[in-house]
Amino acid sequence: MQRVTLYLRLFVWFNGRQLQRHPWRLSAVILGIALGAAVFTSVRLAVDASLDAFIQSIELISGKADWSVLGRGARVPEDLVARLKGDAAVETASPFVSTYVEAQGNDLPPFLLIGIDPILDYSLRTWELASFGPDQTASWLDLIRAPNTCLLTPTLAQALQRSSGDIVQLSHVRQIAPFRILGILKPQGLARVEGGAMAITDIATIQEFIGCQGRVDRIDLKLKPGTTEADLRRIEGALPEGFDLERPVETKETGEAMIRGYQLNLSVLSLVSLFVGMFLVYSLVSLNAAARRNELANLRALGASTDLIFLLILSEGIALGIAGWIAAIPIGSLLVQYLLAAVSGTIDSLFVRVQAVTLGPDVSEILLSFGITVGTSLVAASKPARDATRIAPKEAMIIHGSASQTPSRARGLWAIGLLLIALSWPLASLPPVGPFPLAGYVSASLLILGFSSLSPPLLRIMGSRLARPLRFVGGEPAFLAGRYVREAGSRTAISVGALITAVALFVSLVIMVNSFRYTVSLWVEQTLAGDFFLRPSMAGLNEYRDALPDDVVRAVQGMASDVDILPYHRLRLRHDKTPYELEAVDLKKLMSYGGFILLEGRMEAMRHPLFRGEGVLVSEVFANRSGLSTGDRYGAQIGKAVLDLPILGVFRDYRTHGGAVYMDLKAFQTLTGITAWGGVRFFFKDRDRDLEGATRALEARIRRCCAQSHPLEMAAGLELRREVLRIFDETFAVTTVLLLIALLVSALGIATTLTVLVLERLRQLNTLAAIGASPGQIRSMVFWEAVLMVAAGELIGLVCGFLLSSFLIFVINRQCFGWTFLYRIDMGTFAVSLPLILAAALAAALPAARLVLRASPAQALKEA
Amino acid sequence: MSRSDDPCVIEAHALTRIYPLENGGAVGIRDIDLYIRNGEMAVIKGNSGSGKSTLLALIGGLDRPSRGRIVVGGRDLTTASAAELTAYRRTTVGMVFQAFNLLPTLTALENVCLPALLAGMAYETTRESALNHLRELGIEKLADRYPAQLSGGEMQRSAIARALINNPSIVLADEPTGNLDSRNGEIVMRLLADLNQRQGRTVIVATHSALADPYATVQITLRDGMIAQRTPCNG
């Protein structure tokens, strides 16, 4: 107890009061840590909230179902329900259909309409009417007996401003129909799906409404206790060809794995800020230890043990970590609001549908954030703490010790740096661990560490070689700055390392995002070519299951005089567990207007077999995830039809929901018997006309003939392509925010380091003043030191960033998302941003320069 | 005051401590044989670089010899572990430095308390003892001031109080008057002499000032790291 009291007393006397003496420096460091901690926690909380919303929706929809019967590329015949119920192992078999619909007469986003058999479903899913009493049973029966009736959640009823007995007009591509509201659900179970943006109707009503009579999305099964593997095999064996048994949990696991992968990637990126913040802690604790070297020697001389010294210095880092973590709470609570919208939007675009994402308290994330923040601060303080224990008690007898300024030669750093850089390349080629590119990140870290190790030798060279030339540019102060930087050795390495990290990440991410955007813009011009697009309303939300109604197809066919019409059919399929889209389109016509950015295969060689439907093109994502490549065979079952075609080439594709496979429409129709149109692309034959005007006219024409009776989605090609790029930019907005915070933290790092360097040799600087150097000259010297450090940091960071960008594009993106991009450097961005970073880092030197000669030289010399 | 039949409290044989220089040369002390009896006031004299502070650091357990042997109060400092040296510094010796070496973030009183607290004493007890020392040295009213608020003489008196807090049998002072004016230098030297004469502590002062001469019982002169002369004095 006495030891603890002593430690606490000394901590307050020795560390606490020292920290209090420099409130601005302390605030800068705490702010740096707080920003890092806030970013890290906010990102994780935002992704967790999206993940919770996704899992909750899946679980509520799946209910107690053990297995589901699903069709490959086709809906399931409803008559299977009776057959399945007849199986001895099946307790319940319940059909399920869902679709997104819109309510007419308001601006609400689409919501989910779920069709069930209320009697069969009751034992599978929880849903209950809010009003109990004699009418409850009647309402149930009305749902089955009366067509076009529905139950609303209280959330939706409130949003629609409707109550029991009211009529709501629901629209789907086939029709717009009135639905009578039978009752309002209790806000529990199924009614919580998508945050309550859902309604329930009878299975027959929804089949009639969306035109899939006799077919359902899936049949959910609840099996009897004691069901064996043999029972399962029997049930599956009894299914017609093209239908499978699948556990609902698989959908959840696939989605969860994708979101977790995304979370890991964002966490790594957000850790950068925390990592850079670690440099700040290191700088301040080192500064405090160095500035009190003589005091530490005194403590040792007075009988303090090395353990006590270690603990005192380490505690300083821990205290900074705790203070930073506390300061992160208000910053994080602001940041998380922005990130919640951005992150859930990205997950919704890239991976799985997530709706109604709300934040909840998460004790494990809060503990994790505390542990990581304090842990990184502890690691950062451990080296200065170890160094402090090496201070000999005899230094107490040195009056104005120079021991703290002993130059550190940091020998061998060249070799270590080059070794780490060399190791990073082979490591990058290792496969990912699940969805997480562990090897990619480790090799990226090695690369950054390797280049950071090169900073002391580079500074030494710069100091040696540039000192004399600098004299011509900046006079004696520049020469002295060069000499000082040469001798500072590894003392500046940590802070320059922080700058290298931030600059390298900045450069690599700028290259990656620019390459990505450039390739995506090429892709939208080529593969998303088209002047006008038409498809059923909510086609994407409803996974392209609905075809254009026949009268719309007929009307479109009548417009073929001045436009080329490219009908297509798109199916959402799965290869093993990986989702992808199969698109069948007239490839010959498509390629006359646009085409594919090929990664494998030559267009000349594949043109004819492709146009004849004797092969398919697969996207890079599909190839990477399926392991299939040019020359392999692509296989898929669509209903009863089996596709087995050679892969003729691999193309770049950046659609957000997995991979893509393209085949010729005629061959698809012949092989599958599916002739319905999933959508249409229009190309104006006369390319010299006013395309925008013609597009507007075409849209008006379609609206007049078809849109009154059928909700349709129409988009001008230009707008669609612009929308794709808008989504792209939104997706990377999170990355940009994280990056800017990392740069801000590294600027704080430079400010702290320069302050350290100034304070450590205040006596030297004041001696210079005493022998005639003007305050301006001394400030100029500090400024030139900053120039050299920042220049070294930017130079190394730039080279490191270029290499890192290759890792990001060709390793990490490939392993995370399955795609790579055309490498492209936007020199314009660097021409503007790098000088800005230089200027910002130099601006960070101002507090240090102002610190010099705050007191009179005589006073400073006396006190130092 | 010591008597000729008092036992040796400090014995050094062939004591050597070399600090190599980058230019190939070396500084330090070489082959010093030293005997200081209990209760003596030894004044070590010599020019800058003669090895005074090095010798004091070795006696104080702040440094280890390159070779040779040093025994203080029967304890062989040459073979002592780091923990034993720490305990030795806490209990046996009190140090007074030329630059006072008060911790700037601690008040005068806290500075004085520090060695006792490090030795495991309770603050309340230590505080009383520290105030007594400050009172004896005439600076009790300055107890709550920080070092920056004290004059040089006041700082050195605080440092002496700090050196005495653990009641050491040996007080080592390295140029204790080096940063003081002559009046304050005289006061401090009298205080050190008083520790020797009135309290019977062994006091070793390394200085090139003549202020200590009247109080010395033995004077050791160092030149180029070796003992040039050892003169018993009447004190």
Side-chain angles (χ1 to χ4, degrees):
Chain A
M1 188 61 199
Q2 206 166 4
R3 280 168 179 267
V4 176
T5 315
L6 169 67
Y7 155 72
L8 289 175
R9 195 183 300 283
L10 280 183
F11 181 76
V12 173
W13 285 357
F14 188 70
N15 305 76
R17 290 177 190 169
Q18 171 73 13
L19 290 170
Q20 267 180 8
R21 288 169 77 178
H22 306 284
W24 287 109
R25 212 184 307 157
L26 179 66
S27 306
V29 173
I30 290 177
L31 177 67
I33 303 165
L35 282 171
V39 166
F40 178 77
T41 313
S42 308
V43 159
R44 291 193 62 87
L45 283 175
V47 181
D48 274 345
S50 298
L51 186 61
D52 288 345
F54 166 73
I55 289 175
Q56 192 189 51
S57 274
I58 293 282
E59 285 177 349
L60 291 171
I61 286 184
S62 307
K64 294 171 189 157
D66 303 311
W67 293 87
S68 295
V69 176
L70 288 158
R72 292 180 221 149
R75 284 198 163 105
V76 182
E78 195 179 4
D79 55 14
L80 272 179
V81 174
R83 279 165 57 187
L84 287 163
K85 279 183 71 184
D87 191 286
V90 174
E91 188 176 305
T92 309
S94 179
F96 186 95
V97 176
S98 69
T99 190
Y100 284 91
V101 295
E102 282 174 327
Q104 293 284 291
N106 62 56
D107 296 328
L108 285 182
F111 59 88
L112 197 62
L113 180 64
I114 292 176
I116 50 170
D117 180 323
I119 296 169
L120 292 176
D121 197 79
Y122 215 76
S123 60
L124 277 181
R125 280 169 272 264
T126 311
W127 53 274
E128 205 175 332
L129 283 172
S131 56
F132 286 95
D135 288 337
Q136 192 179 342
T137 317
S139 295
W140 266 61
L141 292 173
D142 281 352
L143 201 61
I144 300 168
R145 279 193 304 241
N148 285 26
T149 51
C150 65
L151 306 173
L152 297 191
T153 63
T155 315
L156 188 59
Q158 193 180 7
L160 292 170
Q161 294 178 314
R162 297 284 198 283
S163 56
S164 298
D166 289 350
I167 300 292
V168 58
Q169 296 280 341
L170 299 185
S171 73
H172 181 264
V173 66
R174 275 190 31 97
Q175 56 181 304
I176 300 162
F179 276 69
R180 185 160 60 87
I181 302 164
L182 285 179
I184 308 299
L185 293 159
K186 280 187 177 175
Q188 62 186 35
L190 205 53
R192 284 163 59 212
V193 166
E194 303 221 342
M198 61 81 68
I200 295 176
T201 189
D202 179 59
I203 193 92
T205 297
I206 199 167
Q207 285 172 326
E208 165 61 28
F209 182 51
I210 67 174
C212 67
Q213 287 90 339
R215 296 194 163 262
V216 296
D217 289 355
R218 62 173 199 259
I219 299 169
D220 290 333
L221 303 180
K222 189 179 175 195
L223 303 179
K224 289 178 181 164
T227 301
T228 61
E229 276 294 317
D231 293 329
L232 280 173
R233 278 199 299 276
R234 185 185 65 248
I235 296 170
E236 194 160 31
L239 295 175
E241 199 176 340
F243 299 95
D244 302 308
L245 266 186
E246 195 175 283
R247 289 181 76 91
V249 75
E250 284 177 21
T251 313
K252 188 178 84 178
E253 283 170 356
T254 310
E256 189 178 351
M258 286 194 281
I259 297 177
R260 285 277 180 224
Y262 176 64
Q263 186 180 39
L264 271 170
N265 285 308
L266 276 191
S267 298
V268 168
L269 196 54
S270 60
L271 269 176
V272 171
S273 294
L274 213 48
F275 181 63
V276 177
M278 198 169 94
F279 290 127
L280 277 179
V281 175
Y282 175 89
S283 295
L284 186 65
V285 176
S286 295
L287 160 68
N288 284 340
R292 291 176 295 171
R293 194 176 177 91
N294 196 255
E295 293 169 44
L296 287 165
N298 265 317
L299 272 177
R300 293 277 290 119
L302 295 173
S305 64
T306 50
D307 289 347
L308 180 63
I309 299 286
F310 181 80
L311 197 61
L312 282 175
I313 303 294
L314 197 67
S315 307
E316 205 164 292
I318 295 171
L320 288 170
I322 293 172
W325 183 80
I326 292 169
I329 295 170
I331 300 173
S333 47
L334 289 176
L335 196 61
V336 76
Q337 298 301 332
Y338 160 74
L339 285 174
L340 186 65
V343 164
S344 62
T346 301
I347 290 175
D348 200 39
S349 298
L350 281 180
F351 306 112
V352 290
R353 182 168 168 79
V354 286
Q355 289 292 296
V357 180
T358 49
L359 275 174
D362 189 333
V363 176
S364 63
E365 285 298 341
I366 289 167
L367 287 176
L368 178 71
S369 124
F370 182 81
I372 291 214
T373 310
V374 177
T376 47
S377 303
L378 189 142
V379 170
S382 60
K383 187 176 182 303
R386 269 201 316 279
D387 290 347
T389 61
R390 293 191 194 109
I391 296 174
K394 71 167 187 280
E395 282 187 33
M397 301 182 76
I398 300 170
I399 296 166
H400 294 299
S402 59
S404 64
Q405 286 146 27
T406 305
S408 171
R409 291 287 174 199
R411 287 192 181 91
L413 279 176
W414 272 116
I416 293 169
L418 293 174
L419 181 72
L420 291 175
I421 294 166
L423 274 177
S424 66
W425 286 103
L427 198 64
S429 56
L430 293 177
V433 180
F436 186 60
L438 182 65
Y441 282 125
V442 172
S443 54
S445 308
L446 287 186
L447 199 67
I448 291 174
L449 278 175
F451 274 99
S452 297
S453 306
L454 298 183
S455 69
L458 182 73
L459 278 168
R460 203 161 54 242
I461 290 174
M462 284 172 81
S464 304
R465 303 278 161 85
L466 295 181
R468 286 180 197 285
L470 278 177
R471 183 180 258 156
F472 294 105
V473 185
E476 210 55 33
F479 172 76
L480 289 172
R483 277 294 149 87
Y484 177 71
V485 163
R486 185 186 71 178
E487 295 306 322
S490 62
R491 299 166 58 70
T492 57
I494 297 287
S495 293
V496 177
L499 186 64
I500 289 170
T501 307
V503 170
L505 280 164
F506 174 80
V507 168
S508 59
L509 284 172
V510 163
I511 292 175
M512 187 198 83
V513 174
N514 186 58
S515 302
F516 199 174
R517 203 175 193 285
Y518 170 74
T519 318
V520 167
S521 60
L522 264 185
W523 169 69
V524 295
E525 290 301 327
Q526 295 281 313
T527 312
L528 288 190
D531 294 320
F532 190 72
F533 290 80
L534 171 70
R535 64 182 193 176
S537 180
M538 296 165 283
L541 271 179
N542 287 321
E543 302 192 339
Y544 312 104
R545 283 180 303 213
D546 306 303
L548 282 174
D550 291 344
D551 48 343
V552 176
V553 171
R554 276 193 298 276
V556 167
Q557 280 170 331
M559 299 171 186
S561 57
D562 59 346
V563 285
D564 257 340
I565 295 167
L566 259 81
Y568 63 84
H569 195 90
R570 194 179 287 179
L571 288 172
R572 183 71 59 83
L573 299 173
R574 287 203 294 175
H575 184 277
D576 293 331
K577 288 182 180 174
T578 311
Y580 71 95
E581 285 172 7
L582 171 66
E583 184 162 337
V585 65
D586 182 341
L587 288 171
K588 187 175 181 181
K589 211 176 269 181
L590 178 66
M591 285 197 198
S592 67
Y593 289 103
F596 297 93
I597 310 167
L598 288 178
L599 264 169
E600 283 180 24
R602 285 186 313 111
M603 191 45 79
E604 294 74 29
M606 72 177 77
R607 187 180 297 272
H608 295 296
L610 195 62
F611 295 169
R612 286 197 299 268
E614 293 166 359
V616 296
L617 277 181
V618 301
S619 73
E620 181 187 20
V621 176
F622 181 86
N624 283 332
R625 292 196 173 153
S626 65
L628 298 174
S629 182
T630 307
D632 293 332
R633 293 194 78 81
Y634 161 77
Q637 180 150 13
I638 299 159
K640 288 178 183 171
V642 175
L643 300 184
D644 181 17
L645 295 161
I647 295 172
L648 301 173
V650 177
F651 65 97
R652 293 184 188 278
D653 189 89
Y654 301 98
R655 70 194 59 208
T656 51
H657 288 278
V661 175
Y662 270 83
M663 70 178 292
D664 189 69
L665 182 64
K666 277 197 185 116
F668 174 80
Q669 288 172 335
T670 309
L671 287 166
T672 62
I674 299 171
T675 54
W677 291 9
V680 187
R681 296 188 199 207
F682 296 83
F683 292 92
F684 291 105
K685 289 175 183 170
D686 178 5
R687 309 301 298 165
D688 296 328
R689 66 191 293 190
D690 169 18
L691 291 178
E692 276 191 46
T695 304
R696 281 197 299 274
L698 179 62
E699 184 177 349
R701 206 169 149 194
I702 295 172
R703 281 196 188 285
R704 273 197 307 276
C705 76
C706 315
Q708 298 296 320
S709 49
H710 301 290
L712 298 169
E713 267 180 18
M714 288 174 272
L718 203 62
E719 282 171 18
L720 184 73
R721 290 186 281 276
R722 217 176 272 154
E723 178 66 8
V724 170
L725 291 176
R726 187 190 63 76
I727 292 173
F728 176 91
D729 291 336
E730 269 183 8
T731 304
F732 279 97
V734 178
T735 314
T736 310
V737 169
L738 301 187
L739 192 64
L740 287 175
I741 290 176
L743 278 172
L744 177 65
V745 176
S746 73
L748 288 171
I750 288 289
T752 316
T753 303
L754 285 167
T755 310
V756 172
L757 296 178
V758 166
L759 288 173
E760 276 180 0
R761 60 205 162 105
L762 218 46
R763 186 178 173 81
Q764 266 183 36
L765 297 174
N766 281 292
T767 305
L768 279 176
I771 61 171
S774 72
Q777 282 175 314
I778 292 177
R779 289 191 187 106
S780 167
M781 188 178 114
V782 174
F783 174 79
W784 277 105
E785 285 167 13
V787 169
L788 287 171
M789 282 169 59
V790 173
E794 276 214 17
L795 188 68
I796 299 176
L798 193 67
V799 179
C800 180
F802 274 95
L803 290 175
L804 197 58
S805 64
S806 301
F807 277 24
L808 288 175
I809 293 174
F810 300 112
V811 179
I812 291 175
N813 259 282
R814 189 169 187 270
Q815 293 186 353
C816 280
F817 302 102
W819 54 43
T820 59
F821 339 112
L822 298 167
Y823 194 87
R824 189 176 166 84
I825 298 164
D826 180 7
M827 294 312 285
T829 306
F830 289 133
V832 175
S833 57
L834 289 179
L836 271 178
I837 295 175
L838 184 75
L842 289 179
L846 289 177
R850 286 172 60 185
L851 196 70
V852 186
L853 307 182
R854 221 172 27 181
S856 77
Q859 180 73 12
L861 284 168
K862 182 174 176 285
E863 288 175 355
Chain B
M1 291 291 282
S2 71
R3 297 191 319 240
S4 56
D5 55 348
D6 276 341
C8 276
V9 70
I10 298 168
E11 287 179 55
H13 303 284
L15 193 64
T16 302
R17 180 66 172 104
I18 301 293
Y19 300 107
L21 295 175
E22 283 190 0
N23 62 13
V27 293
I29 55 171
R30 271 175 295 180
D31 296 321
I32 285 184
D33 289 329
L34 182 73
Y35 307 93
I36 295 175
R37 287 197 304 275
N38 194 15
E40 253 182 334
M41 174 137 179
V43 175
I44 303 171
K45 305 203 82 169
N47 295 329
S48 290
S50 60
K52 301 188 297 290
S53 295
T54 303
L55 180 59
L56 220 55
L58 291 172
I59 297 170
L62 303 181
D63 200 4
R64 288 173 186 279
S66 306
R67 62 170 190 272
R69 187 159 174 256
I70 178 163
V71 178
V72 180
R75 193 189 314 230
D76 190 343
L77 301 186
T78 325
T79 56
S81 67
E84 285 168 340
L85 282 181
T86 300
Y88 165 76
R89 289 196 296 270
R90 280 178 186 165
T91 55
T92 311
V93 290
M95 292 284 301
V96 178
F97 305 95
Q98 177 182 352
F100 326 128
N101 291 14
L102 297 175
L103 301 193
T105 56
L106 273 60
T107 62
L109 176 65
E110 289 164 352
N111 265 294
V112 177
C113 288
L114 188 60
L117 295 174
L118 289 169
M121 304 276 287
Y123 180 66
E124 290 67 28
T125 327
T126 307
R127 190 173 181 281
E128 279 311 306
S129 172
L131 281 170
N132 282 337
H133 282 294
L134 288 172
R135 194 176 302 123
E136 281 173 21
L137 294 167
I139 49 170
E140 186 195 7
K141 286 182 182 165
L142 308 176
D144 292 327
R145 291 202 188 169
Y146 285 92
Q149 298 166 317
L150 301 175
S151 70
E154 290 162 347
M155 279 196 270
Q156 196 59 300
R157 274 186 272 172
S158 302
I160 292 171
R162 182 178 66 181
L164 299 177
I165 191 74
N166 282 340
N167 196 23
S169 55
I170 302 168
V171 175
L172 305 175
D174 184 27
E175 298 284 7
T177 58
N179 276 15
L180 300 176
D181 58 43
S182 56
R183 186 178 148 272
N184 273 306
E186 178 60 36
I187 292 171
V188 164
M189 202 51 81
R190 244 187 283 132
L191 284 171
L192 290 171
D194 197 43
L195 297 178
N196 170 253
Q197 292 165 359
R198 203 157 58 83
Q199 301 179 11
R201 299 178 205 265
T202 307
V203 176
I204 303 173
V205 181
T207 182
H208 54 254
S209 150
L211 283 171
D213 294 353
Y215 310 107
T217 58
V218 60
Q219 190 167 305
I220 298 157
T221 306
L222 294 182
R223 189 175 302 132
D224 299 330
M226 300 171 79
I227 293 182
Q229 195 177 9
R230 181 189 164 97
T231 318
C233 311
N234 293 326

